[in-house]
mmCIF file of all heavy atoms in Angstrom:
data_model
loop_
_atom_site.group_PDB
_atom_site.id
_atom_site.type_symbol
_atom_site.label_atom_id
_atom_site.label_comp_id
_atom_site.label_asym_id
_atom_site.label_seq_id
_atom_site.Cartn_x
_atom_site.Cartn_y
_atom_site.Cartn_z
ATOM 1 N N ARG Q 118 -0.432 12.247 -2.166
ATOM 2 C CA ARG Q 118 -0.732 13.681 -2.151
ATOM 3 C C ARG Q 118 0.359 14.491 -2.838
ATOM 4 O O ARG Q 118 0.084 15.437 -3.569
ATOM 5 C CB ARG Q 118 -0.834 14.186 -0.714
ATOM 6 C CG ARG Q 118 -2.160 13.943 -0.044
ATOM 7 C CD ARG Q 118 -2.107 14.506 1.382
ATOM 8 N NE ARG Q 118 -3.087 13.841 2.244
ATOM 9 C CZ ARG Q 118 -2.905 13.604 3.539
ATOM 10 N NH1 ARG Q 118 -1.767 13.955 4.131
ATOM 11 N NH2 ARG Q 118 -3.835 13.011 4.243
ATOM 12 N N ARG Q 149 -12.306 13.617 3.428
ATOM 13 C CA ARG Q 149 -12.055 13.014 4.742
ATOM 14 C C ARG Q 149 -11.494 14.052 5.718
ATOM 15 O O ARG Q 149 -11.953 14.178 6.846
ATOM 16 C CB ARG Q 149 -11.057 11.867 4.605
ATOM 17 C CG ARG Q 149 -10.586 11.346 5.932
ATOM 18 C CD ARG Q 149 -9.608 10.200 5.816
ATOM 19 N NE ARG Q 149 -9.076 9.902 7.132
ATOM 20 C CZ ARG Q 149 -7.986 10.436 7.636
ATOM 21 N NH1 ARG Q 149 -7.281 11.286 6.917
ATOM 22 N NH2 ARG Q 149 -7.586 10.152 8.851
ATOM 23 N N ARG Q 150 -10.519 14.818 5.261
ATOM 24 C CA ARG Q 150 -9.897 15.792 6.155
ATOM 25 C C ARG Q 150 -10.862 16.917 6.513
ATOM 26 O O ARG Q 150 -10.834 17.453 7.610
ATOM 27 C CB ARG Q 150 -8.627 16.341 5.504
ATOM 28 C CG ARG Q 150 -7.515 15.314 5.563
ATOM 29 C CD ARG Q 150 -6.189 15.931 5.215
ATOM 30 N NE ARG Q 150 -6.030 16.106 3.779
ATOM 31 C CZ ARG Q 150 -5.001 16.712 3.235
ATOM 32 N NH1 ARG Q 150 -4.049 17.210 3.991
ATOM 33 N NH2 ARG Q 150 -4.906 16.807 1.917
ATOM 34 N N LEU Q 153 -13.199 15.499 9.106
ATOM 35 C CA LEU Q 153 -12.455 15.257 10.330
ATOM 36 C C LEU Q 153 -12.184 16.545 11.097
ATOM 37 O O LEU Q 153 -12.322 16.585 12.321
ATOM 38 C CB LEU Q 153 -11.128 14.577 9.965
ATOM 39 C CG LEU Q 153 -10.575 13.565 10.945
ATOM 40 C CD1 LEU Q 153 -11.619 12.540 11.344
ATOM 41 C CD2 LEU Q 153 -9.381 12.858 10.326
ATOM 42 N N ASP Q 157 -13.558 17.138 14.762
ATOM 43 C CA ASP Q 157 -12.601 17.321 15.855
ATOM 44 C C ASP Q 157 -12.884 18.600 16.625
ATOM 45 O O ASP Q 157 -12.776 18.652 17.849
ATOM 46 C CB ASP Q 157 -11.157 17.360 15.317
ATOM 47 C CG ASP Q 157 -10.614 15.972 15.043
ATOM 48 O OD1 ASP Q 157 -11.339 14.993 15.326
ATOM 49 O OD2 ASP Q 157 -9.489 15.857 14.544
ATOM 50 N N ASN Q 164 -16.059 18.384 24.773
ATOM 51 C CA ASN Q 164 -15.198 18.042 25.909
ATOM 52 C C ASN Q 164 -15.123 19.201 26.900
ATOM 53 O O ASN Q 164 -15.123 18.984 28.108
ATOM 54 C CB ASN Q 164 -13.776 17.691 25.422
ATOM 55 C CG ASN Q 164 -13.752 16.362 24.675
ATOM 56 O OD1 ASN Q 164 -14.717 15.609 24.711
ATOM 57 N ND2 ASN Q 164 -12.648 16.089 24.006
ATOM 58 N N SER Q 167 -18.407 19.455 28.850
ATOM 59 C CA SER Q 167 -18.526 18.360 29.806
ATOM 60 C C SER Q 167 -17.703 18.651 31.054
ATOM 61 O O SER Q 167 -18.120 18.358 32.177
ATOM 62 C CB SER Q 167 -18.041 17.059 29.172
ATOM 63 O OG SER Q 167 -18.912 16.674 28.141
ATOM 64 N N ARG Q 175 -20.052 19.965 41.044
ATOM 65 C CA ARG Q 175 -19.324 19.939 42.307
ATOM 66 C C ARG Q 175 -19.675 21.151 43.168
ATOM 67 O O ARG Q 175 -19.713 21.073 44.385
ATOM 68 C CB ARG Q 175 -17.820 19.891 42.033
ATOM 69 C CG ARG Q 175 -17.084 19.013 43.045
ATOM 70 C CD ARG Q 175 -15.615 18.791 42.674
ATOM 71 N NE ARG Q 175 -15.445 18.355 41.298
ATOM 72 C CZ ARG Q 175 -14.855 19.086 40.360
ATOM 73 N NH1 ARG Q 175 -14.375 20.272 40.634
ATOM 74 N NH2 ARG Q 175 -14.730 18.623 39.126
ATOM 75 N N LYS Q 186 -25.903 21.326 29.829
ATOM 76 C CA LYS Q 186 -26.244 20.030 29.230
ATOM 77 C C LYS Q 186 -27.023 20.206 27.946
ATOM 78 O O LYS Q 186 -26.789 19.524 26.960
ATOM 79 C CB LYS Q 186 -27.092 19.228 30.217
ATOM 80 C CG LYS Q 186 -26.335 18.105 30.904
ATOM 81 C CD LYS Q 186 -27.314 17.238 31.668
ATOM 82 C CE LYS Q 186 -26.663 16.760 32.964
ATOM 83 N NZ LYS Q 186 -27.499 15.800 33.683
ATOM 84 N N THR Q 189 -25.238 20.611 24.817
ATOM 85 C CA THR Q 189 -24.480 19.494 24.235
ATOM 86 C C THR Q 189 -25.307 18.660 23.268
ATOM 87 O O THR Q 189 -24.743 17.970 22.421
ATOM 88 C CB THR Q 189 -23.973 18.545 25.335
ATOM 89 O OG1 THR Q 189 -25.111 17.932 25.962
ATOM 90 C CG2 THR Q 189 -23.137 19.281 26.352
ATOM 91 N N LYS Q 193 -23.740 16.829 20.030
ATOM 92 C CA LYS Q 193 -23.619 15.366 19.956
ATOM 93 C C LYS Q 193 -24.227 14.835 18.671
ATOM 94 O O LYS Q 193 -23.671 13.973 18.004
ATOM 95 C CB LYS Q 193 -24.333 14.735 21.150
ATOM 96 C CG LYS Q 193 -23.446 14.552 22.352
ATOM 97 C CD LYS Q 193 -24.104 13.643 23.380
ATOM 98 C CE LYS Q 193 -23.930 12.182 23.031
ATOM 99 N NZ LYS Q 193 -24.292 11.263 24.125
ATOM 100 N N ARG Q 479 7.396 -0.198 11.627
ATOM 101 C CA ARG Q 479 8.169 1.032 11.573
ATOM 102 C C ARG Q 479 9.428 0.904 12.421
ATOM 103 O O ARG Q 479 9.587 -0.061 13.179
ATOM 104 C CB ARG Q 479 7.308 2.196 12.089
ATOM 105 C CG ARG Q 479 6.165 2.541 11.148
ATOM 106 C CD ARG Q 479 4.989 3.128 11.886
ATOM 107 N NE ARG Q 479 4.404 2.166 12.794
ATOM 108 C CZ ARG Q 479 3.484 2.453 13.692
ATOM 109 N NH1 ARG Q 479 3.050 3.674 13.818
ATOM 110 N NH2 ARG Q 479 3.011 1.515 14.483
ATOM 111 N N LYS Q 481 12.682 3.445 14.460
ATOM 112 C CA LYS Q 481 13.119 4.762 14.874
ATOM 113 C C LYS Q 481 14.630 4.724 15.008
ATOM 114 O O LYS Q 481 15.164 3.865 15.712
ATOM 115 C CB LYS Q 481 12.472 5.106 16.216
ATOM 116 C CG LYS Q 481 12.093 6.566 16.334
ATOM 117 C CD LYS Q 481 11.676 6.908 17.722
ATOM 118 C CE LYS Q 481 10.201 6.681 17.973
ATOM 119 N NZ LYS Q 481 9.779 7.264 19.260
ATOM 120 N N THR Q 488 8.951 8.187 13.534
ATOM 121 C CA THR Q 488 9.072 6.812 13.069
ATOM 122 C C THR Q 488 9.056 6.821 11.540
ATOM 123 O O THR Q 488 8.481 7.714 10.922
ATOM 124 C CB THR Q 488 7.898 5.949 13.556
ATOM 125 O OG1 THR Q 488 6.687 6.515 13.063
ATOM 126 C CG2 THR Q 488 7.852 5.878 15.060
ATOM 127 P P G V 89 -15.174 10.097 38.920
ATOM 128 O OP1 G V 89 -13.965 9.267 38.783
ATOM 129 O OP2 G V 89 -15.720 10.421 40.240
ATOM 130 O "O5'" G V 89 -14.900 11.448 38.133
ATOM 131 C "C5'" G V 89 -14.509 11.432 36.753
ATOM 132 C "C4'" G V 89 -14.394 12.845 36.225
ATOM 133 O "O4'" G V 89 -15.697 13.336 35.835
ATOM 134 C "C3'" G V 89 -13.843 13.853 37.214
ATOM 135 O "O3'" G V 89 -13.108 14.817 36.489
ATOM 136 C "C2'" G V 89 -15.109 14.489 37.796
ATOM 137 O "O2'" G V 89 -14.879 15.798 38.255
ATOM 138 C "C1'" G V 89 -16.010 14.507 36.580
ATOM 139 N N9 G V 89 -17.443 14.396 36.857
ATOM 140 C C8 G V 89 -18.068 13.887 37.951
ATOM 141 N N7 G V 89 -19.377 13.899 37.837
ATOM 142 C C5 G V 89 -19.611 14.461 36.586
ATOM 143 C C6 G V 89 -20.815 14.737 35.907
ATOM 144 O O6 G V 89 -21.962 14.507 36.258
ATOM 145 N N1 G V 89 -20.583 15.307 34.664
ATOM 146 C C2 G V 89 -19.352 15.587 34.150
ATOM 147 N N2 G V 89 -19.318 16.134 32.942
ATOM 148 N N3 G V 89 -18.205 15.335 34.766
ATOM 149 C C4 G V 89 -18.418 14.783 35.974
ATOM 150 P P G V 117 7.567 10.488 24.203
ATOM 151 O OP1 G V 117 8.688 10.728 23.291
ATOM 152 O OP2 G V 117 6.554 11.525 24.434
ATOM 153 O "O5'" G V 117 6.827 9.174 23.724
ATOM 154 C "C5'" G V 117 7.520 7.930 23.779
ATOM 155 C "C4'" G V 117 6.571 6.845 23.380
ATOM 156 O "O4'" G V 117 5.522 6.739 24.373
ATOM 157 C "C3'" G V 117 5.804 7.114 22.092
ATOM 158 O "O3'" G V 117 6.576 6.792 20.962
ATOM 159 C "C2'" G V 117 4.591 6.214 22.260
ATOM 160 O "O2'" G V 117 4.932 4.867 22.012
ATOM 161 C "C1'" G V 117 4.306 6.380 23.756
ATOM 162 N N9 G V 117 3.322 7.435 24.019
ATOM 163 C C8 G V 117 3.533 8.647 24.626
ATOM 164 N N7 G V 117 2.442 9.368 24.729
ATOM 165 C C5 G V 117 1.457 8.580 24.162
ATOM 166 C C6 G V 117 0.074 8.817 23.984
ATOM 167 O O6 G V 117 -0.576 9.811 24.303
ATOM 168 N N1 G V 117 -0.546 7.748 23.350
ATOM 169 C C2 G V 117 0.072 6.603 22.942
ATOM 170 N N2 G V 117 -0.689 5.690 22.348
ATOM 171 N N3 G V 117 1.361 6.365 23.094
ATOM 172 C C4 G V 117 1.988 7.386 23.710
ATOM 173 P P U V 118 6.432 7.652 19.660
ATOM 174 O OP1 U V 118 7.563 7.281 18.797
ATOM 175 O OP2 U V 118 6.189 9.059 20.011
ATOM 176 O "O5'" U V 118 5.094 7.068 19.025
ATOM 177 C "C5'" U V 118 5.006 5.697 18.681
ATOM 178 C "C4'" U V 118 3.593 5.344 18.320
ATOM 179 O "O4'" U V 118 2.747 5.505 19.482
ATOM 180 C "C3'" U V 118 2.935 6.246 17.283
ATOM 181 O "O3'" U V 118 3.338 5.934 15.969
ATOM 182 C "C2'" U V 118 1.464 5.973 17.539
ATOM 183 O "O2'" U V 118 1.091 4.718 17.028
ATOM 184 C "C1'" U V 118 1.445 5.906 19.065
ATOM 185 N N1 U V 118 1.105 7.203 19.681
ATOM 186 C C2 U V 118 -0.227 7.573 19.679
ATOM 187 O O2 U V 118 -1.097 6.879 19.207
ATOM 188 N N3 U V 118 -0.492 8.778 20.262
ATOM 189 C C4 U V 118 0.414 9.652 20.825
ATOM 190 O O4 U V 118 0.017 10.711 21.320
ATOM 191 C C5 U V 118 1.782 9.201 20.767
ATOM 192 C C6 U V 118 2.069 8.026 20.222
ATOM 193 P P C V 119 3.365 7.086 14.885
ATOM 194 O OP1 C V 119 4.060 6.522 13.718
ATOM 195 O OP2 C V 119 3.818 8.354 15.489
ATOM 196 O "O5'" C V 119 1.822 7.249 14.530
ATOM 197 C "C5'" C V 119 1.100 6.177 13.949
ATOM 198 C "C4'" C V 119 -0.369 6.484 13.924
ATOM 199 O "O4'" C V 119 -0.849 6.686 15.282
ATOM 200 C "C3'" C V 119 -0.753 7.788 13.238
ATOM 201 O "O3'" C V 119 -0.758 7.663 11.827
ATOM 202 C "C2'" C V 119 -2.136 8.037 13.810
ATOM 203 O "O2'" C V 119 -3.078 7.159 13.234
ATOM 204 C "C1'" C V 119 -1.914 7.622 15.273
ATOM 205 N N1 C V 119 -1.557 8.776 16.122
ATOM 206 C C2 C V 119 -2.601 9.617 16.550
ATOM 207 O O2 C V 119 -3.756 9.358 16.189
ATOM 208 N N3 C V 119 -2.320 10.683 17.330
ATOM 209 C C4 C V 119 -1.050 10.931 17.689
ATOM 210 N N4 C V 119 -0.823 11.993 18.466
ATOM 211 C C5 C V 119 0.032 10.098 17.265
ATOM 212 C C6 C V 119 -0.271 9.040 16.494
ATOM 213 P P C V 120 -0.524 8.979 10.940
ATOM 214 O OP1 C V 120 -0.337 8.491 9.564
ATOM 215 O OP2 C V 120 0.514 9.821 11.571
ATOM 216 O "O5'" C V 120 -1.899 9.765 11.032
ATOM 217 C "C5'" C V 120 -3.106 9.175 10.568
ATOM 218 C "C4'" C V 120 -4.279 10.050 10.923
ATOM 219 O "O4'" C V 120 -4.379 10.157 12.369
ATOM 220 C "C3'" C V 120 -4.176 11.496 10.470
ATOM 221 O "O3'" C V 120 -4.510 11.659 9.113
ATOM 222 C "C2'" C V 120 -5.155 12.188 11.412
ATOM 223 O "O2'" C V 120 -6.487 11.930 11.006
ATOM 224 C "C1'" C V 120 -4.892 11.440 12.714
ATOM 225 N N1 C V 120 -3.921 12.147 13.577
ATOM 226 C C2 C V 120 -4.362 13.251 14.309
ATOM 227 O O2 C V 120 -5.532 13.604 14.205
ATOM 228 N N3 C V 120 -3.483 13.904 15.108
ATOM 229 C C4 C V 120 -2.222 13.499 15.193
ATOM 230 N N4 C V 120 -1.388 14.172 15.994
ATOM 231 C C5 C V 120 -1.734 12.373 14.449
ATOM 232 C C6 C V 120 -2.614 11.728 13.664
ATOM 233 P P U V 121 -3.812 12.801 8.274
ATOM 234 O OP1 U V 121 -4.404 12.699 6.925
ATOM 235 O OP2 U V 121 -2.354 12.739 8.450
ATOM 236 O "O5'" U V 121 -4.328 14.144 8.959
ATOM 237 C "C5'" U V 121 -5.678 14.538 8.822
ATOM 238 C "C4'" U V 121 -5.952 15.755 9.660
ATOM 239 O "O4'" U V 121 -5.634 15.473 11.048
ATOM 240 C "C3'" U V 121 -5.108 16.974 9.346
ATOM 241 O "O3'" U V 121 -5.576 17.674 8.210
ATOM 242 C "C2'" U V 121 -5.248 17.782 10.634
ATOM 243 O "O2'" U V 121 -6.500 18.429 10.696
ATOM 244 C "C1'" U V 121 -5.222 16.668 11.690
ATOM 245 N N1 U V 121 -3.867 16.488 12.255
ATOM 246 C C2 U V 121 -3.460 17.386 13.219
ATOM 247 O O2 U V 121 -4.177 18.287 13.610
ATOM 248 N N3 U V 121 -2.196 17.184 13.707
ATOM 249 C C4 U V 121 -1.309 16.198 13.335
ATOM 250 O O4 U V 121 -0.196 16.147 13.873
ATOM 251 C C5 U V 121 -1.792 15.307 12.321
ATOM 252 C C6 U V 121 -3.032 15.477 11.821
ATOM 253 P P G V 122 -4.571 18.561 7.371
ATOM 254 O OP1 G V 122 -5.238 18.798 6.076
ATOM 255 O OP2 G V 122 -3.232 17.923 7.401
ATOM 256 O "O5'" G V 122 -4.476 19.922 8.181
ATOM 257 C "C5'" G V 122 -5.580 20.817 8.213
ATOM 258 C "C4'" G V 122 -5.359 21.885 9.240
ATOM 259 O "O4'" G V 122 -5.088 21.263 10.528
ATOM 260 C "C3'" G V 122 -4.150 22.784 9.023
ATOM 261 O "O3'" G V 122 -4.401 23.820 8.089
ATOM 262 C "C2'" G V 122 -3.900 23.322 10.426
ATOM 263 O "O2'" G V 122 -4.827 24.338 10.757
ATOM 264 C "C1'" G V 122 -4.205 22.077 11.271
ATOM 265 N N9 G V 122 -2.984 21.315 11.572
ATOM 266 C C8 G V 122 -2.550 20.150 10.976
ATOM 267 N N7 G V 122 -1.415 19.707 11.472
ATOM 268 C C5 G V 122 -1.093 20.639 12.447
ATOM 269 C C6 G V 122 0.018 20.696 13.326
ATOM 270 O O6 G V 122 0.961 19.905 13.414
ATOM 271 N N1 G V 122 -0.029 21.809 14.153
ATOM 272 C C2 G V 122 -1.037 22.750 14.139
ATOM 273 N N2 G V 122 -0.911 23.758 15.001
ATOM 274 N N3 G V 122 -2.083 22.708 13.335
ATOM 275 C C4 G V 122 -2.044 21.637 12.517
ATOM 276 P P A V 128 11.689 19.695 18.436
ATOM 277 O OP1 A V 128 12.175 19.903 19.824
ATOM 278 O OP2 A V 128 11.591 18.333 17.895
ATOM 279 O "O5'" A V 128 10.277 20.395 18.290
ATOM 280 C "C5'" A V 128 9.684 21.021 19.393
ATOM 281 C "C4'" A V 128 9.165 22.404 19.019
ATOM 282 O "O4'" A V 128 9.214 22.598 17.590
ATOM 283 C "C3'" A V 128 7.701 22.631 19.377
ATOM 284 O "O3'" A V 128 7.552 22.977 20.744
ATOM 285 C "C2'" A V 128 7.304 23.739 18.421
ATOM 286 O "O2'" A V 128 7.719 24.995 18.894
ATOM 287 C "C1'" A V 128 8.104 23.374 17.163
ATOM 288 N N9 A V 128 7.310 22.593 16.196
ATOM 289 C C8 A V 128 7.494 21.275 15.850
ATOM 290 N N7 A V 128 6.646 20.846 14.944
ATOM 291 C C5 A V 128 5.852 21.941 14.676
ATOM 292 C C6 A V 128 4.771 22.141 13.798
ATOM 293 N N6 A V 128 4.275 21.193 13.010
ATOM 294 N N1 A V 128 4.197 23.360 13.775
ATOM 295 C C2 A V 128 4.681 24.328 14.573
ATOM 296 N N3 A V 128 5.695 24.260 15.439
ATOM 297 C C4 A V 128 6.249 23.033 15.437
ATOM 298 P P G V 131 -4.708 22.502 22.555
ATOM 299 O OP1 G V 131 -5.547 22.953 23.686
ATOM 300 O OP2 G V 131 -3.588 21.565 22.798
ATOM 301 O "O5'" G V 131 -5.646 21.859 21.436
ATOM 302 C "C5'" G V 131 -6.834 22.526 21.030
ATOM 303 C "C4'" G V 131 -7.512 21.754 19.929
ATOM 304 O "O4'" G V 131 -6.641 21.689 18.765
ATOM 305 C "C3'" G V 131 -7.791 20.289 20.244
ATOM 306 O "O3'" G V 131 -8.921 20.107 21.074
ATOM 307 C "C2'" G V 131 -7.975 19.718 18.843
ATOM 308 O "O2'" G V 131 -9.216 20.093 18.291
ATOM 309 C "C1'" G V 131 -6.855 20.454 18.094
ATOM 310 N N9 G V 131 -5.612 19.669 18.134
ATOM 311 C C8 G V 131 -4.490 19.909 18.898
ATOM 312 N N7 G V 131 -3.558 19.017 18.725
ATOM 313 C C5 G V 131 -4.088 18.125 17.803
ATOM 314 C C6 G V 131 -3.532 16.945 17.222
ATOM 315 O O6 G V 131 -2.423 16.441 17.431
ATOM 316 N N1 G V 131 -4.414 16.341 16.329
ATOM 317 C C2 G V 131 -5.673 16.820 16.034
ATOM 318 N N2 G V 131 -6.370 16.103 15.156
ATOM 319 N N3 G V 131 -6.200 17.921 16.556
ATOM 320 C C4 G V 131 -5.359 18.518 17.429
ATOM 321 P P G V 132 -8.965 18.882 22.101
ATOM 322 O OP1 G V 132 -10.174 19.030 22.929
ATOM 323 O OP2 G V 132 -7.637 18.719 22.727
ATOM 324 O "O5'" G V 132 -9.176 17.650 21.112
ATOM 325 C "C5'" G V 132 -10.382 17.525 20.365
ATOM 326 C "C4'" G V 132 -10.299 16.352 19.420
ATOM 327 O "O4'" G V 132 -9.182 16.544 18.513
ATOM 328 C "C3'" G V 132 -10.002 15.007 20.065
ATOM 329 O "O3'" G V 132 -11.128 14.430 20.690
ATOM 330 C "C2'" G V 132 -9.509 14.211 18.863
ATOM 331 O "O2'" G V 132 -10.571 13.855 18.016
ATOM 332 C "C1'" G V 132 -8.648 15.276 18.157
ATOM 333 N N9 G V 132 -7.257 15.184 18.618
ATOM 334 C C8 G V 132 -6.583 16.030 19.463
ATOM 335 N N7 G V 132 -5.348 15.654 19.687
ATOM 336 C C5 G V 132 -5.203 14.492 18.938
ATOM 337 C C6 G V 132 -4.087 13.633 18.780
ATOM 338 O O6 G V 132 -2.958 13.722 19.270
ATOM 339 N N1 G V 132 -4.380 12.560 17.942
ATOM 340 C C2 G V 132 -5.595 12.363 17.340
ATOM 341 N N2 G V 132 -5.687 11.270 16.559
ATOM 342 N N3 G V 132 -6.642 13.148 17.468
ATOM 343 C C4 G V 132 -6.376 14.190 18.278
ATOM 344 P P A V 133 -10.926 13.488 21.982
ATOM 345 O OP1 A V 133 -12.258 13.220 22.546
ATOM 346 O OP2 A V 133 -9.863 14.053 22.837
ATOM 347 O "O5'" A V 133 -10.372 12.158 21.311
ATOM 348 C "C5'" A V 133 -11.187 11.425 20.404
ATOM 349 C "C4'" A V 133 -10.393 10.298 19.789
ATOM 350 O "O4'" A V 133 -9.228 10.843 19.114
ATOM 351 C "C3'" A V 133 -9.798 9.308 20.778
ATOM 352 O "O3'" A V 133 -10.756 8.366 21.219
ATOM 353 C "C2'" A V 133 -8.685 8.686 19.947
ATOM 354 O "O2'" A V 133 -9.207 7.767 19.003
ATOM 355 C "C1'" A V 133 -8.164 9.913 19.191
ATOM 356 N N9 A V 133 -7.037 10.541 19.906
ATOM 357 C C8 A V 133 -7.015 11.681 20.663
ATOM 358 N N7 A V 133 -5.837 11.967 21.155
ATOM 359 C C5 A V 133 -5.028 10.946 20.693
ATOM 360 C C6 A V 133 -3.662 10.670 20.862
ATOM 361 N N6 A V 133 -2.827 11.430 21.570
ATOM 362 N N1 A V 133 -3.159 9.561 20.261
ATOM 363 C C2 A V 133 -3.994 8.797 19.551
ATOM 364 N N3 A V 133 -5.286 8.946 19.306
ATOM 365 C C4 A V 133 -5.755 10.058 19.916
ATOM 366 P P G V 140 -22.186 2.559 18.982
ATOM 367 O OP1 G V 140 -23.143 3.248 18.091
ATOM 368 O OP2 G V 140 -20.866 3.153 19.263
ATOM 369 O "O5'" G V 140 -22.896 2.278 20.388
ATOM 370 C "C5'" G V 140 -24.217 1.769 20.436
ATOM 371 C "C4'" G V 140 -24.581 1.335 21.825
ATOM 372 O "O4'" G V 140 -23.507 0.581 22.429
ATOM 373 C "C3'" G V 140 -24.834 2.439 22.845
ATOM 374 O "O3'" G V 140 -26.080 3.075 22.658
ATOM 375 C "C2'" G V 140 -24.759 1.649 24.150
ATOM 376 O "O2'" G V 140 -25.936 0.891 24.352
ATOM 377 C "C1'" G V 140 -23.604 0.693 23.847
ATOM 378 N N9 G V 140 -22.337 1.200 24.397
ATOM 379 C C8 G V 140 -21.239 1.640 23.697
ATOM 380 N N7 G V 140 -20.264 2.027 24.482
ATOM 381 C C5 G V 140 -20.746 1.826 25.766
ATOM 382 C C6 G V 140 -20.151 2.059 27.039
ATOM 383 O O6 G V 140 -19.025 2.497 27.277
ATOM 384 N N1 G V 140 -21.000 1.733 28.088
ATOM 385 C C2 G V 140 -22.272 1.228 27.935
ATOM 386 N N2 G V 140 -22.935 0.958 29.063
ATOM 387 N N3 G V 140 -22.839 0.994 26.765
ATOM 388 C C4 G V 140 -22.029 1.323 25.732
ATOM 389 P P C V 143 -27.143 12.623 28.633
ATOM 390 O OP1 C V 143 -28.071 13.549 29.295
ATOM 391 O OP2 C V 143 -27.535 11.910 27.375
ATOM 392 O "O5'" C V 143 -25.781 13.391 28.322
ATOM 393 C "C5'" C V 143 -25.709 14.350 27.285
ATOM 394 C "C4'" C V 143 -24.444 15.157 27.436
ATOM 395 O "O4'" C V 143 -24.565 16.015 28.599
ATOM 396 C "C3'" C V 143 -23.201 14.345 27.723
ATOM 397 O "O3'" C V 143 -22.624 13.825 26.543
ATOM 398 C "C2'" C V 143 -22.302 15.361 28.404
ATOM 399 O "O2'" C V 143 -21.727 16.252 27.465
ATOM 400 C "C1'" C V 143 -23.318 16.127 29.244
ATOM 401 N N1 C V 143 -23.447 15.563 30.604
ATOM 402 C C2 C V 143 -22.414 15.753 31.536
ATOM 403 O O2 C V 143 -21.401 16.368 31.195
ATOM 404 N N3 C V 143 -22.536 15.235 32.769
ATOM 405 C C4 C V 143 -23.630 14.565 33.108
ATOM 406 N N4 C V 143 -23.712 14.075 34.348
ATOM 407 C C5 C V 143 -24.702 14.361 32.191
ATOM 408 C C6 C V 143 -24.570 14.875 30.965
ATOM 409 P P G V 144 -22.049 12.361 26.557
ATOM 410 O OP1 G V 144 -21.483 12.106 25.220
ATOM 411 O OP2 G V 144 -23.095 11.456 27.089
ATOM 412 O "O5'" G V 144 -20.852 12.436 27.600
ATOM 413 C "C5'" G V 144 -19.680 13.160 27.250
ATOM 414 C "C4'" G V 144 -18.710 13.160 28.396
ATOM 415 O "O4'" G V 144 -19.334 13.770 29.547
ATOM 416 C "C3'" G V 144 -18.294 11.788 28.903
ATOM 417 O "O3'" G V 144 -17.271 11.245 28.097
ATOM 418 C "C2'" G V 144 -17.822 12.106 30.310
ATOM 419 O "O2'" G V 144 -16.540 12.702 30.293
ATOM 420 C "C1'" G V 144 -18.835 13.174 30.726
ATOM 421 N N9 G V 144 -19.965 12.588 31.459
ATOM 422 C C8 G V 144 -21.242 12.377 31.003
ATOM 423 N N7 G V 144 -22.025 11.847 31.890
ATOM 424 C C5 G V 144 -21.223 11.694 33.013
ATOM 425 C C6 G V 144 -21.537 11.172 34.295
ATOM 426 O O6 G V 144 -22.607 10.724 34.709
ATOM 427 N N1 G V 144 -20.425 11.190 35.131
ATOM 428 C C2 G V 144 -19.184 11.665 34.780
ATOM 429 N N2 G V 144 -18.259 11.601 35.727
ATOM 430 N N3 G V 144 -18.891 12.163 33.593
ATOM 431 C C4 G V 144 -19.948 12.147 32.762
#
Side-chain angles (χ1 to χ4, degrees):
Chain Q
R118 278 180 204 147
R149 171 179 172 269
R150 285 193 282 175
L153 214 50
D157 280 357
N164 290 348
S167 293
R175 217 172 310 113
K186 255 190 216 186
T189 65
K193 270 193 81 168
R479 291 152 295 171
K481 217 189 272 191
T488 59

